[in-house]
């Protein structure tokens, strides 16, 4: 048997679990609450004390080395059966070893599976480190034998909700703090509060974190180390269970027989587990400069005290920071990439194409800083194949095509098919989701680019901000630093050449359109899913409702749409998304959440929800169909005009010379594109030559056409102060007196003209009905007066096609 | 004139017999100026008397010189080893202080002639001598001593004046107002808050007003048990002279050999025996202070009055920013019939603190003093053999724990020293009570001698720093007050913070970082920290030191400790005043200053 002599906290005075319990019961903190409650309820403190003892017995762990050994033994057997490999970052374990000796340590693993804490304890045991005490959900206690065993292995149990129960809170908090202060053992709990069913990191819960931080705030300990730990599974043990759960098929209560059934899983293969023990983060360092006032100096430290706003904000920041650190060190397997590609190419995708796309996505993921575990030298094909083998329950290769395994035993009713397909999609999505944490910032910028009315930075940012707010429960964003997230997203997109930024603008590059559309397709299920859910809320929910009513309601709603085929967004069936969408609306103030004796109820503010929906709808298609009020949007590209000469030009040489002259002048001016240049090259002689066989009016129009032919889609010709515009007609040209001087007294000169082609683009080209012009010529102040920021009225001359001209 | 002053002071015998001296001086007072320069007895660049210091003798053993203290002449055989082990210091690496002041370095004295004329007319003694001015340009903070040894202050007083009575002070303040000068009162010069340092940017002439010649006991009122004393008297003289009439004040700060009554009032000082006698604020019955607005005092000398906020509390702790305290009526007590020392050893600091807390609760003011040392700071610091510095003290203890404490870890032992005063019966009764309580906390009585030696040590500890400075070791102590329930956390965290900061700042040897509890109250305790490190390899040790001390202070505040229990704020701790007493609080103090001294004559820039 292994000799287990763990390193321990330097300040530890060893004690038995029972000694901790009695210390907790005797503590001023607990005694204070007991007395308080006794007074309020008119009850004898003894009775309440007894209650406290019971709570403590229910909660407390009884770590025993024997049980730990037993666990270690069985676990090692089970793990060997289940998993191919467990990879650990050794230096992380070493850092942890130092940390444990120095200060109390809090382990914060990600939570994807029950395996998480078993694995972690097993690992610490193997590395001769102090075993953690673990905050586990009380539901474990339902499992008679296992619950007790877990308890002996160091788990302590907490009720899922005890907000209102002051005694429970006091006992629980004091229990945790006592263990922390004495350095009894590392404390382990899950910031996410529960296993993430979607493999996306859940928004953090703050309760336990603020409990473990309090001893530092009160300076009962010098420092506390927070250690983010990322546990990534190549294949998640509970994957299908989760998918069922998300679709509303109730989850079996934790029971020993359930675990026994789980043993059937043992024959299956679950691939590799990666455990990355992050750098221990010193709470003291985090707090330095953050919490200046000492809020606990003026009240005895044992009185229960609501943390100040400062502190609450700090706790929340730390929680997010830790989750982001977890995310940073999550390992992504090739299968994650495959899943992401596959989901965009349903129902079937050609195998070769899948490989190609996967490889492309690998590059992109690495650019975005994703941590991919791509087995050494493994060619893409093998990697994809091995992923398919491991996940053969989700997808398979049929006739050179990869398809989801969504067929039931027998193709039954439509409903059954929808359900089957949803199941497959959700399982697959669980893997794609692992990428989202890394992709969310650049992807939201990409979507914002498509949503925003123009490429101006502010507008793109404001769309980004909107999306970030809406998805604030769906993805992990550090509170408050929207702009930084935006900049990071832009930076990453620039890094992969998908966008370019200038001082004021952000626009997609030609090259990057693939990336941008991939990214937005990746997040489309969320954009569409949220829209569906919002639509449901704004249409169907007129009265106050509870979450219990909401979930099945929205599920039915989406289900029907899927059956009808009017949406393809299967992921909207996920209760996780539904809850997140609801809570986003609560945060955006579009839904009011009220606490009732029976639980929370919700009230929809229809108007606010439709407003949010509108924001989305604008973006749904990048170029909206013709709309009575709004013109579609375009980008204007400005290029200098290369003078081109018709082959039938009378004087080639001269033309050439003039061209070069024009080019030179253009260089001197350093200005772009130009009508005057055009005029210079079309000198008198050319005109005259033309005039020989055309009427005056036709001549001018022909010349106009020729000039425009070089760039037939042009909509603006710009040449400030040049010789003048390109006229469409000889008639109705302004004379000098027709152009009024500027308000400042200076002459107005030609600056640019708007071409009739614009009418085409704006889809206002139905003859006789739409507005119309030949050209619009804009004259502006020669002195550029008013140089500042205010708007000035300028002069515009509208010239129409001459009647006599026929096309 | 300078010549004259030298001559006059030379006619007096050197011995430090204040009383004889006072009688003589009274005799000739009307005849001529006199300048009894206490500074000649004292080190110019270190702590205490010239003849008393730690040295390494020819055998390389440490020795304390002079005959003033009981430790004098004793050899401390293992002290060298302790220094070497604790600090990684070596006797070969020695720094040497400048042997004497280089007068050329000293900033010139700039005093305008009109003022000098006016001053001469008052017949108040004064000096523009460089040594006199430098002597009054500092207190005893580490950085100040360091400057004395290796550099020079940027700004020092331009002139020193010696008023001999209240009226003299009134004249000086009037002249200062007339000529717009800056006055910095100087008592014993023991300040440890940079309170005496001259603000560098002060453009006006700075007058150091040395109160040392205002040192008479004006009267003793036995019926009311009060004495009216001039503010310049130093602690030991006050006690000696009162003792001749069978009285004492019982106010005994560790610096009582050199600090003055006026200084105590100006800094809100605290004495070791405050449990019985009270701190300065409890002792004072009446204060007379000369301010630019005039004289502030009360109309009667009563034990208590309800006349709005007590104006004494504007004066106490004013740190020389409002005016000069000239006369103080102070409570006196008959010299106690019986005095007894004692000591208790505890297995660890936690138990010791718990015991002190209990003693404070049960006995309150019935014992003079209890003081808890962490004997051997854990790990790297004071190892048992060390203790040689405290040889006699610890030898006794060592025997003691060897015989009785076999089971305990000597590295974390801690000892409380005790002092009882009063009538014999009561003393014995209280002593028993304390020992009974101590037993409950695992403490064992460790004898009278040990207790007495412990108290004696507090007077020589200050000399240690000078020795350290010779061997690249710099150190300082600082204090705070803290509620009982936070004492342990605060001690642990501050010590840890110091160790960490040292590491971060590149200090190569682990520092000495230890603490003791020196005063007990109903609601809390006063805690002292000792902190020293070897600075070899660090280019700017003082800066590093200051950063660490600052970090330690922030730690204290974050742990619910005060900015200061008795050393005061001075300029050293000003930055935290707002945090300590709130914006409004600071505003209240400011408005007092603005009213009393609108032209900032008392411009030492302390406190606010
Ligand atoms: C080794 C050592 C031990 C110490 N132990 C103690 C202790 O146990 N308890 C304690 O309380 N302090 C202690 N101190 C700190 C110091 O002794 C006290 O602050 C003391 O009260 C200062 O008195 P002083 O006469 O030396 O004043 P100084 O140092 O000369 O002056 C201190 C401040 O008071 C002002 N001042 C002085 N006299 C007057 C006056 N007459 N009118 C107006 N303002 C005046 C000065 O301008 C200056 O701002 C210790 C210091 C040292 C170096």
């Amino acid at each position: 048997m292994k000799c287990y002599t763990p390193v321990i906290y330097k300040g530890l005075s060893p004690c038995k679990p029972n000694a901790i319990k009695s210390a907790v019961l005797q503590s001023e903190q607990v005694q204070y609450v007991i007395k308080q409650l006794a007074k309020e309820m008119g009850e004898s403190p003894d009775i309440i004390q007894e209650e406290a003892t019971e709570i403590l017995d229910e909660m407390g762990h009884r770590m025993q080395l024997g049980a730990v050994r037993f666990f270690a033994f069985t676990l090692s057997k089970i793990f060997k059966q289940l998993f191919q490999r467990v990879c650990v970052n050794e230096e992380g374990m070493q850092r942890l070893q130092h940390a444990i000796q120095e200060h109390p340590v809090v382990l914060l693993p990600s939570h994807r599976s029950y395996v998480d804490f078993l694995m972690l304890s097993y690992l610490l045991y193997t590395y001769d480190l102090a075993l953690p005490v673990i905050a586990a959900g009380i539901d474990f206690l339902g499992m008679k034998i296992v619950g007790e065993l877990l308890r002996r292995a160091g788990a302590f149990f907490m009720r899922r909700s005890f907000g209102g129960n002051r005694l429970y809170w006091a006992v629980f908090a004091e229990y945790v703090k006592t263990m922390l202060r004495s350095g009894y053992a590392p404390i382990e709990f899950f910031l996410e509060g529960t296993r993430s069913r979607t493999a996306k990191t859940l928004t953090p819960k703050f309760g336990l974190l603020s409990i473990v931080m309090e001893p530092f705030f009160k300076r009962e300990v010098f420092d506390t180390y927070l250690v983010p730990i990322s546990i990534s599974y190549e294949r998640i043990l509970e994957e299908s269970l989760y998918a069922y759960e998300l679709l509303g098929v109730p989850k079996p209560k934790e029971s020993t027989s359930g675990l026994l059934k789980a043993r059937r899983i043992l024959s299956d293969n679950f691939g590799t587990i990666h455990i990355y023990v992050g750098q221990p983060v010193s709470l003291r360092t985090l707090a330095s400069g953050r919490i200046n006032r000492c809020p606990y100096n003026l009240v005895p430290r044992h009185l229960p005290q609501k943390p100040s706003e400062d502190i609450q904000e700090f706790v929340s920041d730390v929680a997010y920071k830790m989750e982001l650190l977890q995310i940073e060190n999550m390992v992504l397997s090739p299968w994650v990439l495959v899943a992401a590609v596959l989901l965009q190419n349903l129902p079937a995708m050609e195998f070769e194409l899948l490989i190609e796309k996967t490889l492309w996505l690998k590059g992109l993921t690495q650019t975005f800083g994703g941590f991919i575990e791509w087995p050494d030298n493994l060619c893409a094909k093998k990697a994809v194949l091995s992923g398919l083998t491991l996940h053969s329950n989700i997808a398979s290769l049929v006739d050179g095509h990869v398809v989801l395994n969504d067929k039931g035993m027998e193709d039954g009713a439509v409903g059954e098919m929808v359900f089957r397909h949803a199941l497959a999609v959700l399982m697959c999505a669980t893997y794609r989701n692992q990428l989202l944490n890394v992709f969310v910032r650049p992807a939201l910028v990409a979507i914002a680019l498509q949503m925003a009315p123009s490429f101006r930075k502010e507008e793109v940012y404001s769309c980004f901000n909107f999306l970030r707010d809406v998805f604030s429960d769906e993805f992990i964003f550090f509170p408050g630093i929207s702009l930084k997230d935006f900049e990071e997203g832009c930076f990453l997109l620039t890094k992969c050449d998908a966008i370019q930024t200038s001082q004021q603008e952000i626009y997609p590059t030609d090259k990057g359109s693939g990336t941008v559309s991939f990214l937005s397709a990746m997040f489309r299920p969320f954009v569409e899913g949220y829209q569906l859910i919002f639509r449901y809320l704004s249409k169907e929910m007129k009265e106050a409702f509870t979450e219990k009513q909401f979930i099945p309601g929205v599920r039915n709603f989406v289900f029907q749409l899927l059956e009808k085929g009017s949406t393809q967004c299967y992921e909207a069936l996920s209760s996780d998304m539904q809850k997140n969408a609801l809570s986003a609306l609560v945060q955006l103030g579009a839904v009011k959440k009220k606490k009732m004796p029976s639980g929370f109820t919700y009230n929809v503010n229809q108007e606010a929800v439709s407003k949010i929906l509108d924001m989305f709808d604008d973006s749904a298609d990048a170029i909206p169909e013709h709309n009575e009020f709004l013109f579609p949007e375009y980008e204007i590209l400005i290029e200098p005009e290369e003078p081109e000469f018709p082959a039938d030009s009378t004087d080639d040489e001269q033309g050439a010379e003039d061209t070069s002259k024009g080019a030179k002048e253009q260089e001197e001016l350093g200005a772009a594109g130009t009508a005057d240049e055009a005029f210079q090259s079309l000198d008198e002689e050319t005109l005259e030559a033309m005039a020989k066989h055309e009427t005056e009016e036709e001549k001018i129009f022909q010349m106009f056409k020729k000039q425009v032919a070089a760039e037939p889609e042009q909509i603006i010709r710009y040449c400030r102060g040049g010789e003048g515009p390109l006229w469409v007609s000889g008639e109705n040209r302004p004379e000098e007196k027709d152009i009024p001087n500027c308000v400042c007294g200076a002459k107005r000169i030609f600056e640019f003209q708007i071409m009739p082609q614009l009418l085409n683009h704006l889809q206002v080209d139905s003859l006789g009905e739409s507005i119309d012009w030949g050209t619009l010529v804009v004259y502006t102040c020669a002195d550029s007066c008013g140089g500042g920021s205010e708007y000035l009225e300028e002069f515009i001359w509208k010239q129409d096609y001459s009647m006599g001209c026929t096309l | 004139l300078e010549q004259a002053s030298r001559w006059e002071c030379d006619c007096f015998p050197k011995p430090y017999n204040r009383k004889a001296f006072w009688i003589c001086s009274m005799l000739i007072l009307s005849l001529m100026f006199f300048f009894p320069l206490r500074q000649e007895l004292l080190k110019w660049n270190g702590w205490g008397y010239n003849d008393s210091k730690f040295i390494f003798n020819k055998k390389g053993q440490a020795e304390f010189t002079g005959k003033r203290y009981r430790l004098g002449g004793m050899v401390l055989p293992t002290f060298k080893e302790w220094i070497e082990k604790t600090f990684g210091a070596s006797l070969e690496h020695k720094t040497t202080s400048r042997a004497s002041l280089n007068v050329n370095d000293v900033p010139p004295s700039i005093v305008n002639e009109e003022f000098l004329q006016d001053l001469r007319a008052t017949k108040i003694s004064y000096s523009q001598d460089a040594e006199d001015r430098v002597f009054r340009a500092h207190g005893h903070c580490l950085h100040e001593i360091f400057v004395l040894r290796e550099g020079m202050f940027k700004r020092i007083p331009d002139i020193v004046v010696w008023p001999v009575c209240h009226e003299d002070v009134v004249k000086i303040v009037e002249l200062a107002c007339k000529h717009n000068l800056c006055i910095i009162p100087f008592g014993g010069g023991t300040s440890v808050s940079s309170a005496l340092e001259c603000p560098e940017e002060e453009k006006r002439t700075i007058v150091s007003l040395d109160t040392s010649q205002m040192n008479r006991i004006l009267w003793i009122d036995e019926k009311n048990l009060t004495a009216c004393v001039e503010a310049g008297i130093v602690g030991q003289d006050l006690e000696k002279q009162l003792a001749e009439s069978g009285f004492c004040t019982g106010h005994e700060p560790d610096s009582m050999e050199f600090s003055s009554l006026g200084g105590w009032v100006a800094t809100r000082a605290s004495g070791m025996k405050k449990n019985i006698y009270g701190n300065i604020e409890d002792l004072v019955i009446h204060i007379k202070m000369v301010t630019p607005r005039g004289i502030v005092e009360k109309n009667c000398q009563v034990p208590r009055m309800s006349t709005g906020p007590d104006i004494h509390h504007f004066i106490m702790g004013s740190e020389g920013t409002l005016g000069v305290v000239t006369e103080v009526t102070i409570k006196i007590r008959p010299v106690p019939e019986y005095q007894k020392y004692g000591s208790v050893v505890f297995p660890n600091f936690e138990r010791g603190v718990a015991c002190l807390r209990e003693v404070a609760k049960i006995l309150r003011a019935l014992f003079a003093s209890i003081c808890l040392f962490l004997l051997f700071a854990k790990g790297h610091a004071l190892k048992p053999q060390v203790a040689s510095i405290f040889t006699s003290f610890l030898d006794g203890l060592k025997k003691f724990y060897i015989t009785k404490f076999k089971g305990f870890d000597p590295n974390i032992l801690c000892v409380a020293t005790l002092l009882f005063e009063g009538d014999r019966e009561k003393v014995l009764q209280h002593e028993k009570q304390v020992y009974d309580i101590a037993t409950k906390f695992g403490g064992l009585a460790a004898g009278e001698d040990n207790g007495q030696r412990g108290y004696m040590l507090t007077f020589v500890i200050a000399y240690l720093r000078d020795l350290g400075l010779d061997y690249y070791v710099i150190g300082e102590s600082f204090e705070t007050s803290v509620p009982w329930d936070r004492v342990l956390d605060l001690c642990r965290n501050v010590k840890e913070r110091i160790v960490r900061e040292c590491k971060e700042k590149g200090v190569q040897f682990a520092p000495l970082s230890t603490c003791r509890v020196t005063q007990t109250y109903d609601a809390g305790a006063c805690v002292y920290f000792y902190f020293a490190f070897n600075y070899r390899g660090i280019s700017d040790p003082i800066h590093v030191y200051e950063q660490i001390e600052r970090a330690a202070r922030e730690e204290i505040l974050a742990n619910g400790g005060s900015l200061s229990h008795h050393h005061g704020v001075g300029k050293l701790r000003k930055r935290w005043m707002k945090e300590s007493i709130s914006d409004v609080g600071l505003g209240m103090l400011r408005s007092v200053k603005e009213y009393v001294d609108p032209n900032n004559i008392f411009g030492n820039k302390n406190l606010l």
Side-chain angles (χ1 to χ4, degrees), chain A residues 10 102-103 217-223 225 282 284 292-294 296-301, chain B residues 378 485-487 489-490 492-494 496-497 500 503 555 557-561 578-579 582:
Chain A
K10 63 171 184 221
E102 225 182 318
H103 298 299
F217 292 145
K218 294 186 171 171
R219 293 300 192 278
E220 292 163 340
V221 295
F222 183 76
D223 199 352
Y225 276 131
S282 147
R284 174 174 275 268
N292 296 326
R293 292 252 149 210
C294 314
Y296 294 99
N297 279 1
L298 294 178
V299 182
R301 290 184 294 179
Chain B
K378 206 176 158 187
D485 70 318
R486 296 176 200 241
V487 170
D489 287 334
L490 181 133
R492 182 198 53 235
N493 291 343
V494 173
E496 172 103 31
R497 178 77 181 262
R500 281 215 174 182
K503 211 191 246 169
E555 192 63 38
L557 297 175
N559 279 271
K578 197 162 101 177
E579 186 181 337
S582 82

Side-chain angles (χ1 to χ4, degrees), chain B residues 213-231:
Chain B
Q213 302 316 310
M214 306 197 298
N215 55 8
R216 296 166 299 178
I217 295 177
L218 298 177
W219 46 255
I220 295 176
D221 178 348
E222 301 193 10
K223 289 208 185 71
N224 295 307
L225 285 177
T226 55
C228 183
V229 189
E230 287 184 318

Side-chain angles (χ1 to χ4, degrees), chain B residues 47 139-140 184-193 195-196 211 214 231-232 251-256 258-272 289 318-321 323-326 458 462 528 566-568 604 606:
Chain B
W47 175 252
H140 281 272
I184 299 185
F186 182 88
T190 63
S191 157
V192 280
S193 61
L196 291 170
T211 59
M214 306 197 298
H251 184 69
E252 296 185 11
D254 295 353
S255 58
M256 71 176 288
F258 310 105
S259 56
S260 69
L261 174 57
W264 301 337
V265 169
T267 59
R268 289 182 69 90
S270 167
M272 172 186 98
M289 178 163 81
S318 60
E319 303 191 356
T321 58
V324 185
V325 175
T326 52
T458 54
Y528 250 81
H566 59 264
H567 281 167
N604 58 15
N606 290 339

Side-chain angles (χ1 to χ4, degrees), chain B residues 272-320:
Chain B
M272 172 186 98
K273 297 197 283 194
K274 72 97 199 146
N275 276 350
I276 293 182
Y277 299 97
N279 287 318
I280 195 71
E281 66 272 20
D282 310 307
L283 286 165
V284 158
I285 291 292
H286 183 265
I287 306 174
K288 202 188 231 178
M289 178 163 81
V290 182
T291 78
R293 277 271 172 203
I295 293 158
V296 51
E297 61 181 328
K298 293 184 183 173
N299 75 323
C300 55
Q301 314 213 13
V302 293
R304 182 176 195 276
M305 55 205 268
S306 175
T307 46
D310 191 341
I311 53 161
H312 283 170
H313 284 280
F314 291 132
I315 300 170
M316 284 186 290
S318 60
E319 303 191 356

Side-chain angles (χ1 to χ4, degrees), chain B residues 342-343 392-394 396-397 400 417 446-455:
Chain B
S343 65
S392 47
F393 175 47
L394 290 181
L397 285 178
F400 197 83
T417 56
E448 242 186 289
D449 282 0
N450 288 325
Q452 187 169 12
R453 290 184 195 123
Y455 281 106

Side-chain angles (χ1 to χ4, degrees), chain A residues 123-383:
Chain A
L123 198 70
L124 294 185
Y125 177 79
T126 323
Y127 277 81
D128 245 357
L129 293 177
L131 281 180
V133 289
I134 308 149
I138 200 103
D139 21 12
F140 269 110
L141 274 182
M143 307 196 274
K144 273 191 212 91
I145 309 162
V146 176
E148 210 45 40
L149 264 176
L150 284 177
R151 206 194 270 284
R152 295 205 179 155
F156 60 94
F157 298 93
M158 94 191 179
R159 295 183 189 162
R160 286 260 179 239
S161 61
F162 48 87
N165 189 337
R166 271 150 70 200
L167 185 63
Y168 191 89
W169 174 259
V171 173
F172 179 78
E174 194 48 33
Y175 183 62
V176 175
K177 284 188 280 185
T178 305
M179 289 192 290
L180 182 106
R181 277 191 296 252
S182 64
Y184 175 80
I187 312 268
E188 175 183 325
F189 66 90
F190 300 101
L191 276 173
E192 295 165 275
T194 180
R195 293 168 299 158
S196 163
R197 270 62 168 169
T198 58
K200 274 187 296 102
T201 301
L202 304 177
T203 47
K205 305 275 177 296
F206 306 124
L208 251 168
L209 187 64
S210 67
I211 290 178
V212 297
M213 282 162 81
E214 205 183 276
F216 170 72
F217 292 145
K218 294 186 171 171
R219 293 300 192 278
E220 292 163 340
V221 295
F222 183 76
D223 199 352
T224 303
Y225 276 131
L226 306 176
V227 186
I229 299 177
S230 322
I231 308 179
S232 337
Y233 297 89
E234 206 177 354
R235 185 173 162 205
I236 298 166
L237 206 59
E238 296 99 321
E239 56 180 3
S240 66
L241 215 64
Y242 288 163
Y244 275 103
E245 228 181 88
L246 289 174
L247 289 172
V249 178
K251 146 192 179 196
K253 202 166 186 239
E254 257 76 57
S255 72
T256 310
S257 63
L259 200 89
L260 287 178
K261 255 186 237 131
R263 291 204 48 183
R264 216 179 301 145
I265 293 177
L266 292 191
S267 51
D268 217 340
N269 175 12
F270 286 84
T272 308
I273 302 181
H274 283 95
I275 300 178
Y276 188 97
V277 179
Q279 178 87 39
V281 179
S282 147
L283 183 54
R284 174 174 275 268
T285 313
L286 288 178
S288 88
R290 271 296 296 267
I291 292 161
N292 296 326
R293 292 252 149 210
C294 314
Y296 294 99
N297 279 1
L298 294 178
V299 182
R301 290 184 294 179
H302 67 270
L303 295 194
Q305 198 185 339
K306 195 165 181 274
S308 68
E309 256 167 47
D310 261 13
I311 289 207
Q312 284 178 23
E313 197 186 300
F314 177 64
V315 170
S316 145
D317 284 0
V318 171
Y320 277 97
K321 189 183 166 87
M322 291 299 130
E323 288 203 342
L324 288 168
L325 285 172
Q326 285 175 1
I327 288 173
E328 200 178 300
N329 296 317
M330 283 284 195
V331 173
L332 305 167
S333 68
W335 169 251
V336 166
L337 309 177
V338 174
V341 174
L342 192 58
L343 276 176
Q344 291 192 25
N345 293 279
L346 292 178
M349 187 177 191
E350 204 188 311
F351 185 53
E352 295 301 326
L353 190 62
L354 176 63
I355 294 171
E356 187 189 313
K357 275 277 176 191
T358 304
L359 215 53
W360 170 80
L361 184 55
K362 179 187 170 205
L364 189 64
T365 309
Q366 278 163 342
T367 319
F368 288 172
F371 187 168
I372 302 183
E373 166 78 8
W374 194 277
D376 279 342
N377 308 324
L378 196 59
C379 74
K381 186 172 172 180
K382 277 204 185 124

Side-chain angles (χ1 to χ4, degrees), chain B residues 447-597:
Chain B
E448 242 186 289
D449 282 0
N450 288 325
Q452 187 169 12
R453 290 184 195 123
Y455 281 106
M456 181 197 75
L457 273 175
T458 54
F459 290 106
V460 296
I461 280 181
Y463 286 94
L464 262 179
R465 183 169 75 194
D466 293 327
L467 180 73
L469 278 168
D470 285 343
Y471 297 96
Y472 289 96
V473 174
I474 51 179
E476 183 88 287
S477 61
F478 46 89
E479 43 73 28
T480 186
S481 48
V482 56
W484 277 115
D485 70 318
R486 296 176 200 241
V487 170
L488 285 177
D489 287 334
L490 181 133
C491 289
R492 182 198 53 235
N493 291 343
V494 173
K495 285 192 287 182
E496 172 103 31
R497 178 77 181 262
I498 289 174
V499 172
R500 281 215 174 182
E501 292 285 332
C502 281
K503 211 191 246 169
E504 271 170 36
K505 305 271 168 348
V507 175
Q508 295 179 359
F509 303 91
L512 169 76
S513 157
T514 180
C515 62
R516 69 180 165 127
V517 177
T518 61
Q519 296 281 17
T520 59
Y521 291 86
D522 292 345
C526 165
V527 178
Y528 250 81
F529 291 93
Y530 295 91
F531 157 46
F533 64 87
N534 179 335
Y535 69 84
R536 258 161 56 211
I538 295 176
S539 58
D540 190 354
I542 293 303
H543 181 63
V544 168
Y545 167 79
E546 279 171 352
Q547 283 180 313
I548 297 171
E549 184 184 322
R550 189 169 145 189
R553 182 58 63 181
E554 307 242 303
E555 192 63 38
I556 288 174
L557 297 175
N559 279 271
S562 64
L563 189 52
S564 169
H565 168 262
H566 59 264
H567 281 167
V569 175
K571 289 178 273 289
L572 195 60
R573 287 175 275 273
K574 249 164 88 160
R575 75 174 87 232
W576 293 289
M577 268 303 268
K578 197 162 101 177
E579 186 181 337
S580 291
I581 62 169
S582 82
D583 272 344
V584 178
L586 203 62
M588 288 161 93
L589 295 188
R590 270 208 191 103
S591 60
V592 171
K593 164 82 181 171
E594 264 153 37
Y595 173 76
V596 174
D597 183 15

